[in-house]
Amino acid sequence: MTKQTDDAGQGQIRQSNERVILAAAEAMFARAGFSGTTMAAIAQASELPKANLHYYFGSKEAIYRAVLARILNDWLAPADAIHSEADPRTAIEQYIRAKMALSKQRPDASKVFANELLHGAPLVKELLATELRKLVKAKVAVLQAWMDQGRMAQVDATHLFFTIWAATQTYADFDVQVSAVLGHNNLSAKAHARSTEHVVSLILRGCGLSQ
Amino acid sequence: MTKQTDDAGQGQIRQSNERVILAAAEAMFARAGFSGTTMAAIAQASELPKANLHYYFGSKEAIYRAVLARILNDWLAPADAIHSEADPRTAIEQYIRAKMALSKQRPDASKVFANELLHGAPLVKELLATELRKLVKAKVAVLQAWMDQGRMAQVDATHLFFTIWAATQTYADFDVQVSAVLGHNNLSAKAHARSTEHVVSLILRGCGLSQ
DNA sequence: GTCTATAGACGGATAGAC
DNA sequence: GTCTATCCGTCTATAGAC
């Protein structure tokens, strides 16, 4: 009762509160960026007093770091679809669909990450140059092997990743622009399905994997 | 001498100073966004006293508006390449090359615009829903006619624009990520040329306009 | 028309009561 | 462990000297 050295007791409350704070922070950072987001705004969205954010995380930057860390994990996962035993067409199609699903399900996460990149990636630059670079190198080798075997068209595999990232994330990051041009107020599930089919078919044909 | 009602006299100085301020502001807004940019920073970059910025523009938001306005004009111009008398392949290739050139030549403009969209486009939302939507509609009609004539593959023409914008602007907006993955410190002219050839060939093949 | 000096508001962080 | 009240630095904007 008096002892609470392990994470069992109030650790539950801490864990729950941290989760609430990070979710609120992600939404606020997506909407206004790092400088445009105030601790008061995160506190209000979390329905917690401002001082508690400092109690749990210490500083605004620490909250931002925590939000980014949570995002990065999820961001790299879809690349699993691309492995040497897979069929080229299926692998790339799965990868694109997974990225499009992320755009639909976690638009705020995408925006926070985009914002970080846009402003020079001060916090994740190192990770990009190490982990992401390593991951892309490995996947590029897989794609290159498929090209050498004549199983898909010759494209620059590294740049193909840049194009897939850009084409899929634009539906999360720049949704206002997409909605405005389409004449909608926001992107419906139907509109998103249409976007997905477009990106899949354009890229697959671009890779010589259909027609 | 005493009369200065026209723009001839000190109007020269005003025009020159406004130009300097807007150029400096574009660079700062690209680096740090609206909230992250201080008037002091713009003043230092302009080599003008802080109060002069207020003298010329009135407020920080007015400077931001002026920067955005300058960008929007240049942004829509490349679409001229797409008109009904043109050859489909030439038109789309020209359009992509023009957008890639903009990414190379005006990366800061691209970043300011991307940042505005990312945060919900409070200032340009209306323009997107009117001018941009109208422009895209017109160009989509041209592309659709080409498809109906069997001169290119059936793709969703509106979404094709989204993909081209995303694929080309990613080299300006997310240059840190591209550089990190490629293992460079920044994007050389050679790397940019390679990027351009990639985007051109991928999209053209995706549109059934090569091989 | 230009610039210094300052007002006034806001935001991040913390002290200290509970 | 939680929260109120407050400090202190920073930022936008402007008043007023030159």
Side-chain angles (χ1 to χ4, degrees):
Chain A
M1 252 205 199
T2 46
K3 277 194 181 182
Q4 287 203 338
T5 42
D6 62 354
D7 290 1
Q10 293 289 19
Q12 297 287 352
I13 294 179
R14 169 174 279 269
Q15 213 175 351
S16 151
N17 280 347
E18 286 183 354
R19 205 180 289 276
V20 169
I21 293 168
L22 290 182
E26 183 178 284
M28 302 311 296
F29 285 136
R31 223 168 300 284
F34 180 77
S35 329
T37 300
T38 65
M39 292 296 272
I42 301 175
Q44 191 173 15
S46 315
E47 297 185 343
L48 283 170
K50 202 171 61 156
N52 289 30
L53 311 194
H54 281 101
Y55 171 68
Y56 285 121
F57 289 94
S59 72
K60 180 178 167 184
E61 187 180 313
I63 296 181
Y64 182 66
R65 282 183 187 278
V67 168
L68 266 182
R70 218 178 51 141
I71 293 172
L72 271 170
N73 285 334
D74 305 344
W75 236 235
L76 305 182
D80 292 347
I82 300 170
H83 55 95
S84 49
E85 289 80 19
D87 166 62
R89 189 194 152 110
T90 316
I92 293 175
E93 181 171 347
Q94 264 186 19
Y95 182 59
I96 294 173
R97 288 189 188 278
K99 292 297 264 180
M100 285 298 292
L102 266 183
S103 265
K104 172 77 179 169
Q105 286 153 22
R106 308 218 27 220
D108 285 343
S110 185
K111 283 179 180 177
V112 172
F113 190 64
N115 195 59
E116 168 73 5
L117 292 181
L118 201 54
H119 300 130
L123 298 187
V124 300
K125 208 175 193 172
E126 280 310 301
L127 273 167
L128 299 179
T130 53
E131 282 197 54
L132 180 62
R133 179 164 152 78
K134 208 174 91 181
L135 176 73
V136 171
K137 265 193 171 176
K139 300 306 174 183
V140 162
V142 174
L143 293 177
Q144 193 57 54
W146 290 339
M147 292 180 218
D148 294 343
Q149 295 160 12
R151 299 170 72 188
M152 60 181 285
Q154 289 282 347
V155 304
D156 188 308
T158 310
H159 285 268
L160 177 61
F161 278 102
F162 300 151
T163 303
I164 293 177
W165 297 341
T168 55
Q169 288 167 17
T170 198
Y171 292 101
D173 301 341
F174 306 139
D175 56 347
V176 237
Q177 180 171 247
V178 171
S179 296
V181 169
L182 292 177
H184 305 157
N185 288 327
N186 46 43
L187 286 180
S188 65
K190 200 169 176 179
H192 195 266
R194 191 176 172 88
S195 311
T196 302
E197 298 315 314
H198 159 77
V199 177
V200 166
S201 71
L202 187 78
I203 300 287
L204 284 185
R205 199 183 300 111
C207 291
L209 288 168
S210 79
Q211 267 83 317
Chain B
M1 252 203 197
T2 46
K3 278 193 180 181
Q4 287 202 336
T5 42
D6 62 354
D7 291 0
Q10 293 289 20
Q12 296 288 351
I13 292 177
R14 168 175 279 269
Q15 213 175 352
S16 151
N17 279 347
E18 285 182 354
R19 205 180 290 276
V20 169
I21 292 169
L22 289 181
E26 183 177 286
M28 303 310 296
F29 284 135
R31 222 168 302 283
F34 180 77
S35 329
T37 300
T38 65
M39 292 295 271
I42 301 176
Q44 190 173 15
S46 316
E47 297 186 344
L48 283 170
K50 204 173 55 159
N52 289 30
L53 311 194
H54 281 101
Y55 172 68
Y56 285 121
F57 289 94
S59 72
K60 181 179 167 183
E61 187 179 314
I63 296 181
Y64 182 66
R65 280 182 189 277
V67 168
L68 266 182
R70 217 178 51 141
I71 292 172
L72 271 171
N73 285 335
D74 305 346
W75 235 237
L76 304 183
D80 292 347
I82 300 171
H83 55 94
S84 50
E85 289 81 19
D87 166 63
R89 187 193 153 110
T90 316
I92 293 175
E93 180 170 349
Q94 264 186 19
Y95 181 60
I96 293 172
R97 288 189 187 279
K99 292 297 265 179
M100 286 297 293
L102 266 184
S103 264
K104 172 75 179 171
Q105 286 152 22
R106 308 218 27 219
D108 285 343
S110 185
K111 283 180 180 177
V112 172
F113 190 63
N115 194 58
E116 169 72 6
L117 293 181
L118 201 55
H119 300 131
L123 298 186
V124 300
K125 209 175 194 172
E126 278 310 301
L127 274 167
L128 299 179
T130 54
E131 281 196 55
L132 181 63
R133 178 164 152 79
K134 209 174 90 181
L135 177 74
V136 171
K137 265 194 170 176
K139 300 306 175 184
V140 162
V142 173
L143 293 177
Q144 193 56 55
W146 290 340
M147 291 180 218
D148 294 343
Q149 295 161 12
R151 297 171 72 189
M152 60 181 286
Q154 289 282 349
V155 303
D156 187 310
T158 311
H159 285 268
L160 177 61
F161 278 102
F162 300 151
T163 303
I164 292 177
W165 297 342
T168 54
Q169 287 167 17
T170 199
Y171 292 102
D173 302 342
F174 306 140
D175 56 346
V176 236
Q177 179 172 247
V178 171
S179 296
V181 170
L182 292 178
H184 304 155
N185 288 326
N186 45 44
L187 286 180
S188 66
K190 200 169 176 178
H192 195 267
R194 191 176 171 90
S195 312
T196 302
E197 298 315 313
H198 158 78
V199 177
V200 166
S201 72
L202 186 78
I203 301 287
L204 285 185
R205 199 184 298 112
C207 292
L209 288 168
S210 78
Q211 266 85 315

